[in-house]
Amino acid sequence: MNTLKKYIFAASLFSSILTACGNDNINGGDPVVPVGPTSGDVKIYTTTGSQSHDFAKTFVNFGKTTNMSPMTIKLDESKTFQTMDGFGSAITGSTAYNLLKMNQADRTKFLTETFSPTEGMGQSYIRIAIGCSDFSLDEYTLADKPGIENFALQEEELKYVIPVLKEILAINPSIKIMGSPWTPPKWMKVNNLTELKPYDSWTGGHLNPKFYQDYATYFVKWIQAMKEHGVNIYSITPQNEPLNDKNSASLVMFWDEQQAFVKTALGPKLKAAGLNTKIYAFDHNYNYDDMPEQQDYPIKIFEDPAAAAYFAGSAFHNYGGDKAELLDIHEKAPNKDIIFTETSIGVWNDGQVLGKRLMEDMREVALGTVNNWSKGVIVWNLMLDSEKGPNRDGGCQTCYGAVDISKSDYKTIRRNSHYYIIGHLSSVVKPGAVRIGTTGYTDNDLVYTAFKNTDGSYAFVLMNSGGESKQIMLEDGKNHFTYNVPAGAVVSYTWKK
């Protein structure tokens, strides 16, 4: 082979290897067209921490010979667990602001890749703030002037959040939306429930029982106002991080306060308004911020049957404690749902180092919470800018988004671990899917779970944290197939029996 031919052959081989690996340009360029089968019995998405596979899509066919592999994982439909609500991220004021800084074509492309069930990852659950959060353009509520009659949606909702939600709903009309307040109006706050002194601060304070009914009306008016704009609210939590009094906007709401507020005001007001919006208790950390009297916060609430009747379940974050708390809560209240509603990456946990975060976030958040009975997984900001904002003083100023967009052009996008872990679930596990059992091959480097979708298809999501690839066999009782899982990879599979 002469020198020119050798060069052409080598260049062609290198190009084929890159293409086969699905080495998409994640920073705004066009993806490489994959070489290999474009259809088959099983659709597979693969991402590696090294990005040799970047949510690469491929297909394999069912095996034709008898399965004799000792590395076989068998799906077991006789064991069923929770029914899934969905997977997604938060559309904060900051996220909406950044999205609207993009040109329309780029934004539509990104939102389609993120939310479309047919052309993208199919994210299916969104969390938004009721009023401001620490990722807003300002501190505000929807009734800053005293008197519930002064309730009104504000600029952040009308100019930023609602327009983005409408674009998302046009792509995925069935997406679920959860709302959580960071603070009530300041005129509803007191320093504590003993002195009941007015508390004119965005940060901390307690909800004055005198205003329980007005604050419940505030939730009702918000749900109704959003519906008037074409945005249906699927679920709410009474308070984001009720044990955190240090956020830029916050409120302390101990378990007995939340129990009383929902039992006497929020639950009855929603019912009287004919709203079936789900209420989730708590919405904070696994370790209850190490407050002994707040341990098992949702369980304490559920011990009152009249209060428990208004709650669909409980919601959790992972900024303290361990995901095993979800299993403990499920065992104590098996008739109540669990949902995971917030986690963030940032400077403190090497948030932009995909090789580290992809494995840890998949183990601890995505598969970890689902395997402990969570019906859904929602990460924090979908999109922040390259300066970690916009954000508020006193809130998180070291957080990254699921994706970060360059502030210099509002075009170049860095996709971080949270974008991938949600995408690997939402792309194959659809709302209404039931988590099912598995038997067979296990390995310390492998974490996985299986589902059956409402259309009868199967979904299987697996991570290999090991330093070597592993060839596994999946079997559903009728069909089987083999796939070589790369080292440090997350893989999602879907197929019909």
Side-chain angles (χ1 to χ4, degrees):
M1 188 181 290
N2 62 35
T3 303
L4 179 59
K5 287 182 177 178
K6 287 180 179 178
Y7 174 80
I8 293 172
F9 174 78
S12 175
L13 178 61
F14 180 69
S15 176
S16 296
I17 291 170
L18 282 180
T19 304
C21 288
N23 189 28
D24 294 354
N25 180 349
I26 65 166
N27 290 324
D30 292 328
V32 176
V33 178
V35 170
T38 57
S39 64
D41 297 324
V42 185
K43 181 164 60 177
I44 303 172
Y45 297 96
T46 304
T47 300
T48 57
S50 67
Q51 289 186 291
S52 61
H53 297 64
D54 184 4
F55 209 71
K57 181 167 70 172
T58 189
F59 296 85
V60 300
N61 288 319
F62 296 138
K64 302 300 182 185
T65 59
T66 302
N67 174 24
M68 302 292 288
S69 171
M71 283 77 167
T72 298
I73 301 170
K74 297 181 180 180
L75 276 57
D76 183 0
E77 291 185 57
S78 70
K79 295 179 182 176
T80 59
F81 303 92
Q82 74 271 33
T83 299
M84 308 310 299
D85 271 344
F87 310 96
S89 45
I91 303 296
T92 58
S94 298
T95 289
Y97 175 87
N98 289 326
L99 284 165
L100 290 172
K101 282 285 190 178
M102 302 174 74
N103 69 53
Q104 182 68 65
D106 288 344
R107 183 170 65 253
T108 299
K109 181 175 183 288
F110 173 74
L111 293 179
T112 300
E113 290 172 351
T114 304
F115 294 101
S116 173
T118 55
E119 301 173 57
M121 289 178 165
Q123 287 198 20
S124 49
Y125 213 151
I126 285 170
R127 185 168 177 244
I128 62 176
I130 304 175
C132 73
S133 73
D134 51 322
F135 282 91
S136 285
L137 306 180
D138 201 355
E139 281 79 26
Y140 74 96
T141 71
L142 308 178
D144 285 335
K145 183 179 178 180
I148 194 61
E149 67 275 8
N150 295 310
F151 175 95
L153 297 179
Q154 300 299 305
E155 182 179 65
E156 187 158 303
E157 287 79 29
L158 298 172
K159 186 177 177 180
Y160 297 103
V161 176
I162 289 173
V164 167
L165 291 178
K166 285 184 175 181
E167 290 190 21
I168 294 170
L169 286 164
I171 294 167
N172 185 352
S174 63
I175 200 157
K176 295 181 176 71
I177 298 173
M178 166 181 277
S180 303
W182 265 240
T183 179
K186 290 190 289 184
W187 52 271
M188 294 186 184
K189 298 171 81 167
V190 291
N191 61 336
N192 58 58
L193 298 189
T194 302
E195 297 175 314
L196 297 175
K197 291 182 179 179
Y199 189 80
D200 186 19
S201 174
W202 296 113
T203 301
H206 293 252
L207 179 63
N208 189 342
K210 173 183 175 181
F211 293 114
Y212 277 6
Q213 299 302 320
D214 280 351
Y215 195 38
T217 298
Y218 181 98
F219 279 83
V220 170
K221 285 180 173 288
W222 178 75
I223 294 168
Q224 292 172 337
M226 295 298 284
K227 187 172 184 178
E228 288 175 4
H229 285 273
V231 178
N232 291 317
I233 303 302
Y234 177 77
S235 58
I236 55 173
T237 64
Q239 175 59 40
N240 171 71
E241 298 188 350
L243 305 181
N244 177 7
D245 64 351
K246 296 179 174 60
N247 207 341
S248 60
S250 51
L251 178 84
V252 176
M253 184 180 273
F254 294 142
W255 72 263
D256 53 338
E257 295 172 80
Q258 187 163 119
Q259 183 188 67
F261 170 58
V262 173
K263 176 182 176 179
T264 65
L266 182 58
K269 287 276 188 180
L270 289 180
K271 185 176 181 181
L275 299 172
N276 59 1
T277 308
K278 294 178 182 291
I279 303 174
Y280 286 94
F282 191 47
D283 204 12
H284 205 173
N285 294 332
Y286 298 142
N287 67 347
Y288 309 97
D289 279 16
D290 294 322
M291 298 180 182
E293 68 281 5
Q294 300 303 316
Q295 296 297 307
D296 280 353
Y297 184 117
I299 301 303
K300 287 182 169 70
I301 288 176
F302 301 156
E303 286 172 352
D304 180 338
Y310 291 116
F311 287 91
S314 54
F316 285 84
H317 303 178
N318 73 336
Y319 304 117
D322 188 88
K323 63 185 181 297
E325 179 63 14
L326 300 182
L327 183 58
D328 179 64
I329 294 297
H330 171 74
E331 289 174 346
K332 291 173 178 174
N335 62 327
K336 294 295 186 183
D337 297 341
I338 293 171
I339 189 165
F340 183 85
T341 48
E342 189 183 313
T343 182
S344 187
I345 49 175
V347 174
W348 69 91
N349 61 6
D350 299 321
Q352 290 186 331
V353 181
L354 188 63
K356 174 183 178 181
R357 292 255 49 94
L358 183 64
M359 294 294 99
E360 188 170 327
D361 292 338
M362 204 71 202
R363 179 189 297 108
E364 296 301 317
V365 177
L367 293 174
T369 63
V370 168
N371 284 339
N372 281 346
W373 289 90
S374 178
K375 290 170 65 75
V377 182
I378 306 173
V379 299
W380 195 207
N381 297 279
L382 172 60
M383 176 183 284
L384 293 181
D385 67 27
S386 50
E387 296 180 8
K388 310 177 189 68
N391 56 50
R392 308 305 307 154
D393 290 341
C396 182
Q397 298 183 315
T398 56
C399 289
Y400 298 120
V403 308
D404 296 319
I405 192 164
S406 173
K407 199 171 180 180
S408 65
D409 61 8
Y410 287 99
K411 186 180 184 73
T412 306
I413 292 175
R414 170 193 282 270
R415 291 164 168 81
N416 298 318
S417 61
H418 282 179
Y419 191 70
Y420 291 108
I421 67 169
I422 293 299
H424 270 281
L425 286 166
S426 63
S427 60
V428 297
V429 185
K430 301 306 177 181
V434 176
R435 181 166 71 96
I436 60 175
T438 58
T439 60
Y441 181 63
T442 60
D443 186 298
N444 289 336
D445 292 331
L446 300 182
V447 179
Y448 52 77
T449 194
F451 307 84
K452 189 170 185 179
N453 287 310
T454 57
D455 66 356
S457 65
Y458 295 110
F460 189 85
V461 183
L462 170 148
M463 62 168 281
N464 172 20
S465 61
E468 297 180 355
S469 63
K470 298 180 187 292
Q471 189 171 64
I472 65 162
M473 180 80 72
L474 282 170
E475 183 177 305
D476 63 18
K478 176 183 178 184
N479 300 298
H480 62 271
F481 60 91
T482 301
Y483 186 74
N484 192 47
V485 181
V490 178
V491 186
S492 300
Y493 311 80
T494 186
W495 71 96
K496 288 196 175 181
K497 195 167 183 176

